[in-house]
Amino acid sequence: MTNGGKTTLSKHLQDVLPKSCVISQDNFFKDESMVAVDINGFKQFDALDALHMDRMMSDVDSWQNDPESFMTSRGLTVTSATSQQPNVLIVEGFLIFNHGPLNILFDKRFFLQIPYETCKQRRSSRVYVPPDPPDYFDGHVWPMYLKNRKEMEEAVNDIVFLDGTQKQEVLLSSVLADIQEILMVTQS
């Protein structure tokens, strides 16, 4: 969900996991002129059609084909000291589980959720380009979140739901433990 803490958690994971890389869905928004407008005049940024999912998938494919070259091309350091460490791709975004071709690639799925009031407060404290018009949160963002979440829950059943109001250290510790468990299994 919007403002749930996805980017912050992803960055913290990248900081503690050697040979890890983050691909953020926020980097794949289409130009505003290409985004549809609903009957209320709101730009439909909270829909898959507002994103260049083909480009995002291309980046994921590039990472899968050669993780170390992908990370190096993005300025991430890959050292010989970490050569035995597995490569980890962290994909974060608000609709990543709603895009079937991307969703099937995940080894683990985490969903940060926060209450309506917290979400609205966090959203109002952020600066967006373009800026949110009046009533955008209640008229578009929250209803689209509910719609997208329902579709996600109908299509995906192995999501770990996390409380995005918890301290970042608690969230990081919990997610890191799950990731390290997966890495131990894949290294065996």
Side-chain angles (χ1 to χ4, degrees):
M1 69 186 308
T2 184
N3 295 281
K6 302 174 298 298
T7 302
T8 302
L9 178 59
S10 297
K11 287 178 182 176
H12 285 132
L13 286 167
Q14 183 175 2
D15 289 343
V16 299
L17 289 167
K19 294 176 66 175
S20 65
C21 179
V22 175
I23 293 179
S24 176
Q25 194 171 42
D26 283 351
N27 294 329
F28 298 93
F29 275 104
K30 293 178 180 176
D31 183 82
E32 181 184 2
S33 65
M34 298 174 67
V35 178
V37 177
D38 72 6
I39 59 171
N40 298 313
F42 293 128
K43 288 279 187 175
Q44 299 293 291
F45 284 107
D46 293 86
L48 283 170
D49 288 345
L51 297 154
H52 288 289
M53 291 306 296
D54 55 334
R55 294 179 188 171
M56 186 173 187
M57 290 301 298
S58 179
D59 274 6
V60 171
D61 289 342
S62 293
W63 182 88
Q64 286 180 308
N65 291 331
D66 190 347
E68 292 179 9
S69 290
F70 183 86
M71 289 187 284
T72 302
S73 74
R74 280 157 177 70
L76 299 171
T77 306
V78 179
T79 66
S80 58
T82 62
S83 63
Q84 298 304 311
Q85 296 288 329
N87 294 300
V88 176
L89 179 61
I90 303 159
V91 179
E92 69 94 1
F94 67 107
L95 288 175
I96 59 174
F97 304 132
N98 295 68
H99 187 65
L102 179 59
N103 183 48
I104 62 171
L105 301 176
F106 299 131
D107 292 316
K108 193 74 175 185
R109 294 166 185 83
F110 299 96
F111 188 93
L112 285 160
Q113 55 189 353
I114 55 177
Y116 165 86
E117 287 299 331
T118 303
C119 187
K120 187 172 183 174
Q121 184 277 323
R122 287 182 184 179
R123 178 86 183 202
S124 69
S125 69
R126 305 257 316 261
V127 176
Y128 289 93
V129 178
D132 285 352
D135 300 320
Y136 189 63
F137 184 84
D138 288 319
H140 174 69
V141 174
W142 190 257
M144 286 300 293
Y145 159 69
L146 295 174
K147 175 186 175 289
N148 290 329
R149 181 174 175 149
K150 182 176 188 256
E151 289 173 6
M152 174 194 72
E153 288 176 335
E154 289 171 356
V156 184
N157 60 8
D158 61 347
I159 298 174
V160 176
F161 289 90
L162 302 170
D163 179 356
T165 63
Q166 289 184 316
K167 293 184 182 217
Q168 281 297 315
E169 301 81 30
V170 173
L171 289 169
L172 178 62
S173 176
S174 172
V175 171
L176 192 55
D178 280 355
I179 291 172
Q180 289 172 331
E181 185 177 306
I182 292 168
L183 293 177
M184 285 190 284
V185 170
T186 58
Q187 287 179 323
S188 325

